[in-house]
Amino acid sequence: MADTEVCSVVSDFIDFLNASPTAFHAVDEAKKRLQKVGYEQVVEREDWKLEAGKRYFLTRNHSTIVAFAIVGAHTDSPCLKLKPVSEVKRAGYLEVGVQTYGGGLWHTWFDRDLTVAGRAMIREEKGGSVSYSHRLVRIEEPIMRVPTLASHLDRGVNDGFKVNTQSHLLPVLATSVKVELNKEFAENGLAEKTTNKSRHHAFLLQV
């Protein structure tokens, strides 16, 4: 912070102290300062009609002041979401059907290590009854990739590339050969259990 800024802050603080010989004066001074920068006063015992983006304050017994701002945020971000039926097999590869969510820069998703995270619905059978529960899922290591053609094999690479979200953004999970060689997932019965009911690759569910 520059010296002039420090002096301004210190001077402003001293002015506040000089105007606040008691708690009542301090609240009154704070109230004036808040109103000066756009805060609106609300009465604690009345119903509030608050609006997002606005700022408010309330006082109690002239010796307490509470200031707050109404802000909103969302937790979502652009991503590729697994489709309800994500199992895709094509040209000897196990691909995962996805749909775009949000306004992402989809060309940046190519040739990157991708993983899976989100919320899964788990079906459980106990004593003849069936129950469902939601669990958070997060696979730490990368397991998929959305590949692109090598630049020296793509004659139009410098002419611009328009992403077809339906056909281009299909992450590759594994080759069919790798799945066949990986006998462990079949030996534990997972493949048999999920073949008829699952809408996703058994290999993905095992991971």
Side-chain angles (χ1 to χ4, degrees), residues 25-125:
H25 291 82
V27 167
D28 186 64
E29 179 66 15
K31 175 181 174 179
K32 293 176 182 177
R33 289 175 175 241
L34 289 171
Q35 289 175 323
K36 194 173 182 179
V37 295
Y39 279 77
E40 298 180 17
Q41 184 170 6
V42 294
V43 179
E44 185 176 7
R45 299 190 180 204
E46 295 180 357
D47 291 335
W48 299 347
K49 295 181 179 180
L50 307 180
E51 298 180 29
K54 289 190 175 182
R55 298 173 291 180
Y56 304 90
F57 73 91
L58 63 93
T59 63
R60 177 185 292 179
N61 299 328
H62 302 286
S63 60
T64 299
I65 187 166
V66 177
F68 57 94
I70 304 298
V71 297
H74 63 88
T75 58
D76 299 326
S77 61
C79 65
L80 300 179
K81 298 185 69 173
L82 267 66
K83 289 184 175 180
V85 180
S86 71
E87 184 176 359
V88 179
K89 295 180 181 178
R90 185 170 57 175
Y93 290 91
L94 270 63
E95 296 179 319
V96 179
V98 296
Q99 56 192 10
T100 57
Y101 180 81
L105 301 176
W106 304 119
H107 65 277
T108 66
W109 286 71
F110 288 91
D111 298 316
R112 291 173 53 187
D113 291 334
L114 302 177
T115 185
V116 175
R119 187 180 66 169
M121 185 169 66
I122 309 300
R123 183 179 187 272
E124 298 178 315
E125 297 183 19

Side-chain angles (χ1 to χ4, degrees), residues 21 23 62 82 90 102 140-141 150 192 199:
H62 302 286
L82 267 66
R90 185 170 57 175
E140 298 287 349
E141 66 275 7
E192 182 180 350
R199 299 176 179 180

